[in-house]
């Protein structure tokens, strides 16, 4: 058993951070390398762990006008253009993760809904809601809804025939499913069920085709839940943070659906600065990759990630992967942009 395997099985007798990075990389499964084609401007909070989680909105009419929403968990929410320039900043305080959905009924008209996990109150989780204007790239606050007792951490949105939901992942591993209605004068939220993982959890993503919710438990691995409000609360483990495919912490989670059941599921293997890829169809392991130094630098200690397939213009013709960069010295942390075509080629999978 490797040192990391003993660490996980033995109940985290020592933290992954205490094992030298070179050893973590040596013990892990091989990882292909890709390079980022772009990056965002640094977040405003300098010299501290601040940038955290991105969400991608693809503009179907003009893919080059697509937008990236990202959090500075010490200050608020940014909107970036694909060239990395800041289009807007909303002073929302301590917001951790972010997700968005298009074509949501907002105050009587269809719009882009942005939801962020709000931990301004460390003992009472909330969800901060915004409308994103695609023409101006500006965020407008809609208000907040309650998400349960505890510290807000991860968030992801999910829609099915029964409504729109947010999965609020609390720091202790509680996952509250909150039904959200933003079609009135003020947003309304109601917790419809709760699920639980044993330890600190954060990243999540939901597949609306299959009704599956994926959540990363940082020191344990990746889990799947039934995303339906009436579904079973029991988790099924997809992958362990065993020091091979995922090196703890398991952080950001992103999915990119394709076709009826295809596409990819990615997890940030933060402990060795890599990303693990799985097929959505059968949840089988595909491979791993790292973002290596290039014209805009590498990524380290990635928290949040997002992936969207489709045309994003000449620089990202097959899709876009965005990863938080935890070490962007001498500047503050930011987000790196990678063409999906580069990742697919490195992994040897179809685009």
């Amino acid at each position: 058993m490797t040192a990391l395997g003993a660490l996980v099985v033995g109940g985290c007798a020592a933290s992954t951070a205490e094992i030298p990075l070179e050893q973590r990389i040596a013990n892990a499964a091989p990882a292909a390398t890709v390079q980022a084609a772009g990056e965002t401007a640094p977040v405003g909070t300098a010299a501290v762990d601040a940038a955290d989680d991105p969400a991608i909105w693809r503009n179907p009419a003009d893919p080059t006008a697509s937008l990236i929403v990202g959090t500075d968990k010490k200050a608020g929410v940014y909107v970036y253009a694909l060239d990395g320039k800041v289009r807007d900043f909303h002073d929302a305080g301590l917001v951790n993760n972010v997700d968005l959905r298009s074509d949501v009924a907002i105050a009587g008209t269809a719009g882009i809904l942005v939801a962020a996990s709000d931990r301004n109150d460390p003992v009472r989780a909330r969800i901060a809601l915004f409308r994103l204007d695609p023409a101006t790239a500006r965020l407008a606050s809609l208000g907040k809804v309650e998400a349960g007792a505890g510290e807000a951490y991860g968030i992801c949105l999910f829609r099915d025939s029964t409504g729109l939901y947010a999965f609020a992942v609390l720091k202790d591993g509680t996952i509250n499913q909150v039904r959200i209605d933003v079609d009135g004068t003020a947003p309304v939220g109601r917790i419809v069920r709760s699920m639980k993982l044993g330890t600190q959890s954060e990243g999540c993503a939901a597949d609306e085709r299959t009704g599956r919710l994926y959540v990363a438990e940082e020191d344990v691995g990746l889990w799947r839940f039934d995303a339906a409000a009436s579904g079973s609360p029991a988790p099924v483990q997809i992958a362990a943070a065993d020091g091979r495919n995922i090196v703890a912490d398991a952080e950001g989670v992103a999915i990119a659906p394709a076709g009826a059941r295809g596409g990819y599921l990615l997890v940030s293997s933060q402990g060795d600065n890599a990303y693990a890829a799985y097929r959505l169809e059968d949840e089988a392991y595909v491979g791993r990759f790292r973002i290596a130094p290039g014209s805009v630098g590498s990524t380290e200690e990635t928290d949040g990630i997002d992936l969207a397939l489709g045309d994003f213009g000449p620089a990202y013709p097959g899709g876009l992967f965005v990863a938080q960069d935890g070490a962007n010295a001498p500047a503050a942390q930011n987000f790196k942009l990678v063409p999906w075509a580069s990742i697919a080629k490195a992994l040897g999978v179809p685009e």
Side-chain angles (χ1 to χ4, degrees), residues 4 8 217-222 237 239-244 246-248 250:
L4 280 175
V8 174
E217 186 178 2
E218 294 187 359
D219 289 334
V220 179
L222 180 66
Q237 190 169 43
D242 59 0
R244 291 290 295 161
I246 299 176
V247 180

Side-chain angles (χ1 to χ4, degrees), residues 103-152:
D103 299 321
V104 175
I106 304 174
T109 60
I112 304 166
L113 180 71
V114 173
S117 53
D118 184 304
R119 58 177 184 176
N120 284 288
D121 183 341
V123 298
R124 195 74 193 173
R126 293 180 173 86
I127 300 169
L129 299 167
F130 309 87
R131 180 200 285 267
L132 173 61
D133 185 332
T136 65
R138 299 297 299 272
L139 290 168
S141 177
L142 301 173
K144 301 179 183 182
V145 297
E146 297 291 327
E151 185 176 354

Side-chain angles (χ1 to χ4, degrees), residues 210-309:
T210 60
R212 292 176 171 179
L213 168 69
Y214 298 95
V215 183
E217 186 178 2
E218 294 187 359
D219 289 334
V220 179
L222 180 66
W223 299 88
R224 171 177 26 96
F225 291 89
D226 187 336
S230 59
S232 168
V236 175
Q237 190 169 43
I238 301 303
D242 59 0
R244 291 290 295 161
N245 297 340
I246 299 176
V247 180
D249 293 343
E251 286 279 349
V253 178
I255 64 170
R261 296 184 66 87
Y264 299 94
L265 164 66
L266 302 183
V267 182
S268 172
S269 175
Q270 189 185 74
D272 73 327
N273 302 332
Y275 310 90
Y278 302 82
R279 286 195 303 264
L280 279 171
E281 185 172 8
D282 55 6
E283 296 166 345
Y285 172 71
V286 171
R288 288 161 33 92
F289 66 96
R290 288 190 180 90
I291 300 174
S295 60
V296 296
S298 57
T299 58
E300 291 77 31
E301 299 179 0
T302 294
D303 288 330
I305 58 175
D306 200 13
L307 171 63
L309 304 184

Side-chain angles (χ1 to χ4, degrees), residues 166-188:
F167 290 101
V169 182
L170 308 189
K171 195 171 184 178
D172 69 353
T174 299
I175 305 160
N176 290 329
Q177 184 168 2
V178 183
R179 179 160 183 168
I180 292 178
D181 184 352
V182 291
D183 200 23
T185 56
V188 177

